[in-house]
Amino acid sequence: MSTTNASAAGVPWVERYRPKSLKDVSHQGEVVATLQNAVTTGRLPHLLFYGPPGSGKTSVALALCRQLWHPSQWRKRVLELNASDERGISVVRDKIKHFASLSVGQVNVPAKRNFFGGPKEDEKKTMDEDDEQEYPNPPFKIIILDEADTVTADAQAALRRIIEANSRITRFILICNYVTRVIEPLASRCAKFRFQSLPPHSMKMRLNEIAQNEGCSVTDSHLDSILELAEGDMRRAVTTLQSAHALGSIDDQAVAELAGVPPASEVEKLIQALHCNEFEPMRQAVDDICAEGYAGQLLLKVLLEKFMDADDLDEMGRARLAIRIAEAEHRMIDGADEYLQLMTVCGLAMQCIQAKKVAMEE
Amino acid sequence: MLWVDKHRPSSLTALSYHGSISQRLESLAQKPESLPHLFFYGPSGSGKRTRITALLGAIFGSSANRLKLDQRTFTTPTGRTVEIHMVTSPHHVELSPGDAGNNDRFVIQDVLKELAATKNIRSSVANMDKDSQQADAAAEIKVVVLNQVDRLSKQAQAALRRTMEKYAATCRLILCCDNPSKLIAPLRSRCLGIRVPAPSITEIVGVLNAVAQKENLTLSDAFAEKLAKESNRNLRKALLMLEAAKVQAGGNQLGADQILPSTDWELYISQLAQDITNEQSPSRLMAAREKLYELLVNCIPATTILKKLTGELISSLDDSLKLEVLEWAAFYEHRIAMGSKEIFHLEAFVAKFMAIYKKYLNDMFADDF
């Protein structure tokens, strides 16, 4: 896996710094340890990875496959299907069934020990040299079903029996964000691994490594603000870092702008307008902040933080606002118009602030 | 040619406002090989498309402007055929996958994969007007511009996820939409977001003046400002209104007392708003239905109708009712986004408004006694 050839220049950092082997994976200690064990013993169950975006699910699955077979072999042994492929019930019936039922042929790469014998402890030093590395070459194939929560329920049902019937020669790795969207019979056939979103310190280590490799100068405080905005999503952090680097200078404002977070001054203006307790100034303020083009969801999040700490709201008001904001966000995700939703939230906030004022005066 | 198109700036340096965005795009264009996926968002008429075209021009040189219209037909697994129009140049493809409706997923899966999986051949597309090194690097990548990604279904967006990563070495995506909330988070986190805010009133006035000068038009400052305000900070609308005003005036003079041209659908909606505030009865509701149908038939999006109608209704209401009406407008707009028959929800909103308003009037009436 050489990473410094000409074509690699165009590869985004997220792809270039995808962990090549399990031991490169940041943070997911338990998952990695279990899988390492599976690699050395060659006893691999069906797997189900779930967790928030950017926590390394796809990376772990790919790294696992890389470790199991020689580079020339693993492409033949692994079928990767994701949401960009057609995955209706017909594909399950034809493509997956076909691939799963084909038995494994002779392995051409000279295997120095039998199928299940993993590299011994003293030989691990040579792992880094690609050619000399020993691969367990287990006698099965892997189907990676990425983004499994978008597979239709019908197709999932069709998979049930296929998974069992071919388990002698084919292992499945299902990857999804929401484990609840994978039907129970499928989930119960797999060993479940929950991926945690990454804590800042382990992300920071990795980001520093990448920054050093790419010759990109970034201060500690900027890294911190990138991490804060990424919220444990490694991919987002790396993309932000690369974007900031591509734009030349990295400063706090650039980082906030890349994440599309509305600046405090804008939000303050809106809050000010809410205190007027009049409709027109509020409408004007909402108009203005919408015209600036900030993402509605981010605005709601910032507003929620502001409201929860605000002194001019009573407990009841805060509770009502929290519910309203949650509802507005849900509607936005459903595709409703941001402006109207934001207006309703602001309208309610105005009422609540006024209610508290009146109560105080009494 | 409309003035909007005629005076559209074609290079990054010619863009008249948002200097910092232009600068950023400039620095991205310097190193085309490290161009990330981009996601342009901002209100309509703020200049997203103009910036994308200018960026492509800066990366690929003049050959990015050699456009041709392509029509592609392909068949979905269920045997249905979908037609998609795309604008192509040697370096980029521009399409609105949302046009395919429910079948947009197949457009993403087929068209995009096919485009992205093939590599450009260096020599055949080498640029003459740029130094060869940058041109070579630029020729290596292809750009796919996807318009109105907010209209993409969730499945189609999911289909983009891995495609974006897999073919990133040869193909960069530029996504463009008004409403960033409609793009799923995994896609947003894969892109460099570029927020294009609406131009301020003074910036619009500046552009209007520049265009007026080029067209030998005397434009009074007061009228220019009126246009800018009326357009809701939408530059495209402001320019269209300027052109319409010129046709209306008939001469090359636009004084401060010039009447603002307003579109007939806007007049129609304010008339409808007046109708339903004046009388609340089943027969009025039927009349409103006709008007709503008329608007929908003329391809005015339901969300636009509802927003405009709410705006009109609210401006004539008592403060105590404004919030309630707003609440219901937001509720029915959400329903429009969820459902498929828009007319139901528009009518429901009108009926709801009538009920609220009638109750309010009755209460006032009762208080008087």
Side-chain angles (χ1 to χ4, degrees):
Chain A
M1 293 287 135
S2 71
T3 53
T4 45
N5 57 18
S7 72
V11 180
W13 295 357
V14 187
E15 281 300 293
R16 204 184 312 173
Y17 294 101
R18 215 181 250 290
K20 297 283 178 305
S21 69
L22 284 175
K23 66 178 189 306
D24 294 342
V25 175
S26 303
H27 188 63
Q28 313 293 356
E30 288 163 33
V31 177
V32 169
T34 319
L35 291 179
Q36 245 349 327
N37 194 26
V39 169
T40 42
T41 57
R43 247 175 269 142
L44 191 71
H46 299 299
L47 302 172
L48 172 65
F49 294 167
Y50 65 99
S55 52
K57 302 177 295 293
T58 309
S59 297
V60 166
L62 291 177
L64 176 69
C65 296
R66 283 218 174 88
Q67 280 201 323
L68 285 174
W69 293 288
H70 189 267
S72 65
Q73 284 288 313
W74 80 269
R75 292 260 168 218
K76 293 178 206 160
R77 296 291 192 100
V78 178
L79 178 68
E80 191 192 345
L81 288 171
N82 52 61
S84 65
D85 303 291
E86 178 53 41
R87 292 190 300 188
I89 193 159
S90 61
V91 172
V92 172
R93 286 194 183 130
D94 303 337
K95 206 170 167 188
I96 295 185
K97 208 170 171 185
H98 182 73
F99 185 85
S101 59
L102 278 184
S103 59
V104 184
Q106 201 64 50
V107 180
N108 293 331
V109 182
K112 286 188 183 145
R113 61 177 87 78
N114 76 13
F115 283 143
F116 289 138
K120 286 178 192 113
E121 208 48 50
D122 53 342
E123 281 167 3
K124 272 205 172 154
K125 285 174 204 123
T126 57
M127 287 282 272
D128 289 333
E129 278 93 60
D130 230 24
D131 290 336
E132 285 158 40
Q133 188 181 334
E134 293 294 342
Y135 296 91
N137 266 323
F140 52 73
K141 292 172 301 181
I142 286 184
I143 296 182
I144 300 178
L145 213 54
D146 209 344
E147 287 139 32
D149 35 10
T150 63
V151 177
T152 58
D154 279 352
Q156 289 190 32
L159 267 178
R160 292 164 60 166
R161 191 68 193 127
I162 297 179
I163 286 192
E164 270 178 359
N166 300 303
S167 61
R168 209 172 46 80
I169 37 176
T170 307
R171 300 287 184 277
F172 281 80
I173 302 181
L174 306 181
I175 301 177
C176 62
N177 289 135
Y178 305 101
V179 74
T180 43
R181 295 212 191 131
V182 174
I183 58 170
E184 186 49 39
L186 261 194
S188 69
R189 282 173 172 80
C190 305
K192 287 186 210 161
F193 289 95
R194 189 180 178 285
F195 282 64
Q196 300 149 343
S197 53
L198 298 161
H201 64 88
S202 67
M203 274 166 79
K204 197 164 176 179
M205 261 162 46
R206 189 74 180 141
L207 282 187
N208 264 326
E209 236 175 272
I210 294 176
Q212 236 164 39
N213 256 341
E214 294 291 334
C216 133
S217 59
V218 57
T219 64
D220 240 28
S221 67
H222 293 147
L223 266 188
D224 282 337
S225 51
I226 290 180
L227 291 176
E228 192 181 321
L229 292 167
E231 294 173 334
D233 182 340
M234 191 66 184
R235 172 169 45 229
R236 198 154 145 210
V238 176
T239 314
T240 317
L241 183 69
Q242 186 183 9
S243 306
H245 180 62
L247 292 174
S249 62
I250 299 178
D251 57 59
D252 274 342
Q253 191 159 15
V255 171
E257 180 62 44
L258 288 174
V261 177
S265 60
E266 295 275 341
V267 180
E268 205 46 52
K269 254 192 265 173
L270 181 64
I271 303 260
Q272 286 290 325
L274 292 182
H275 280 107
C276 297
N277 192 35
E278 266 174 62
F279 192 77
E280 268 317 307
M282 177 198 91
R283 183 179 181 171
Q284 191 58 45
V286 177
D287 274 353
D288 282 346
I289 211 160
C290 280
E292 287 300 314
Y294 294 110
Q297 276 167 298
L298 285 176
L299 268 175
L300 286 182
K301 217 171 117 195
V302 176
L303 281 180
L304 181 69
E305 273 165 29
K306 286 263 174 204
F307 289 149
M308 291 306 116
D309 299 336
D311 300 327
D312 38 21
L313 284 167
D314 50 21
E315 297 288 308
M316 194 59 200
R318 272 180 224 167
R320 280 171 68 194
L321 273 170
I323 294 174
R324 195 71 199 77
I325 288 178
E327 194 179 352
E329 208 226 3
H330 168 222
R331 286 184 182 171
M332 278 187 195
I333 291 174
D334 281 343
D337 187 75
E338 294 182 350
Y339 173 73
L340 286 174
Q341 299 301 334
L342 207 58
M343 282 286 268
T344 57
V345 170
C346 290
L348 183 66
M350 204 166 77
Q351 279 180 333
C352 292
I353 291 173
Q354 187 58 22
K356 163 102 188 209
K357 251 190 220 162
V358 172
M360 290 285 278
E361 274 160 21
E362 280 170 6
Chain B
M1 201 193 252
L2 288 173
W3 290 356
V4 190
D5 297 319
K6 196 169 158 192
H7 300 292
R8 190 187 290 275
S10 57
S11 72
L12 284 174
T13 45
L15 293 170
S16 55
Y17 52 89
H18 297 334
S20 60
I21 297 180
S22 309
Q23 247 173 30
R24 271 189 207 148
L25 295 180
E26 195 94 53
S27 63
L28 286 178
Q30 294 299 317
K31 288 175 281 177
E33 72 279 356
S34 64
L35 184 79
H37 297 301
L38 298 177
F39 172 42
F40 283 78
Y41 60 97
S44 70
S46 57
K48 299 181 290 291
R49 292 283 297 282
T50 312
R51 274 165 187 75
I52 293 175
T53 334
L55 175 69
L56 291 174
I59 296 174
F60 299 117
S62 59
S63 60
N65 297 327
R66 279 202 311 250
L67 299 175
K68 66 176 196 223
L69 194 66
D70 228 357
Q71 193 184 26
R72 284 280 291 272
T73 316
F74 50 94
T75 328
T76 65
T78 48
R80 210 171 278 167
T81 53
V82 183
E83 271 183 14
I84 277 282
H85 292 275
M86 15 191 220
V87 179
T88 56
S89 84
H91 301 290
H92 85 280
V93 179
E94 194 174 334
L95 68 160
S96 307
D99 291 348
N102 283 332
N103 295 316
D104 52 0
R105 187 160 52 102
F106 307 111
V107 178
I108 298 285
Q109 284 172 350
D110 288 12
V111 176
L112 218 62
K113 254 189 180 170
E114 184 191 315
L115 284 170
T118 52
K119 233 182 182 177
N120 257 352
I121 303 167
R122 265 185 198 224
S123 54
S124 68
V125 285
N127 262 314
M128 291 308 163
D129 51 349
K130 299 186 111 196
D131 56 314
S132 60
Q133 203 179 1
Q134 194 193 339
D136 264 4
E140 282 251 299
I141 59 164
K142 271 195 231 175
V143 172
V144 178
V145 181
L146 295 181
N147 286 319
Q148 297 171 316
V149 278
D150 41 1
R151 277 174 58 205
L152 280 179
S153 64
K154 288 275 172 323
Q155 293 100 325
Q157 294 191 21
L160 266 178
R161 289 169 63 165
R162 196 71 185 116
T163 315
M164 278 173 97
E165 285 179 348
K166 244 181 171 167
Y167 303 113
T170 52
C171 172
R172 301 297 140 78
L173 289 174
I174 297 183
L175 312 177
C176 173
C177 78
D178 292 350
N179 190 343
S181 301
K182 288 186 191 172
L183 200 68
I184 55 173
L187 283 190
R188 265 182 285 159
S189 80
R190 281 174 173 81
C191 299
L192 164 57
I194 294 183
R195 180 175 61 88
V196 187
S200 69
I201 301 281
T202 38
E203 281 163 348
I204 294 186
V205 170
V207 175
L208 288 179
N209 276 327
V211 169
Q213 210 174 22
K214 277 188 211 153
E215 294 287 337
N216 287 324
L217 202 67
T218 7
L219 178 69
S220 78
D221 286 347
F223 185 62
E225 206 172 309
K226 236 176 22 179
L227 277 179
K229 278 196 181 125
E230 185 62 26
S231 68
N232 280 331
R233 296 172 69 183
N234 180 335
L235 186 59
R236 172 173 41 235
K237 200 172 165 194
L239 280 171
L240 286 170
M241 285 202 300
L242 178 68
E243 199 171 355
K246 191 227 163 195
V247 174
Q248 249 179 19
N252 277 344
Q253 299 279 336
L254 287 175
D257 50 350
Q258 175 74 34
I259 312 156
L260 276 176
S262 58
T263 42
D264 44 359
W265 66 268
E266 283 174 326
L267 287 177
Y268 207 72
I269 290 181
S270 51
Q271 206 189 342
L272 171 67
Q274 237 160 38
D275 282 357
I276 55 180
T277 6
N278 286 342
E279 189 191 323
Q280 295 82 36
S281 65
S283 62
R284 233 345 118 79
L285 190 57
M286 291 304 285
R289 164 185 286 180
E290 235 147 73
K291 281 213 160 71
L292 289 173
Y293 260 125
E294 185 70 26
L295 286 164
L296 286 175
V297 163
N298 282 304
C299 291
I300 313 285
T303 303
T304 316
I305 299 177
L306 191 75
K307 264 166 89 176
K308 181 85 188 158
L309 186 62
T310 315
E312 294 283 340
L313 288 174
I314 278 180
S315 58
S316 63
L317 279 182
D318 189 73
D319 263 13
S320 61
L321 279 186
K322 279 179 180 169
L323 291 177
E324 196 178 350
V325 171
L326 206 63
E327 191 81 19
W328 286 109
F331 175 81
Y332 285 111
E333 203 278 328
H334 175 228
R335 288 262 176 108
I336 289 177
M338 296 293 287
S340 55
K341 261 297 197 195
E342 292 155 345
I343 184 76
F344 291 159
H345 309 295
L346 286 176
E347 265 182 25
F349 174 65
V350 170
K352 189 79 203 175
F353 172 78
M354 283 181 171
I356 293 172
Y357 196 61
K358 186 111 189 168
K359 183 162 183 299
Y360 169 72
L361 288 181
N362 282 345
D363 287 353
M364 274 223 316
F365 196 59
D367 284 351
D368 283 348
F369 282 98

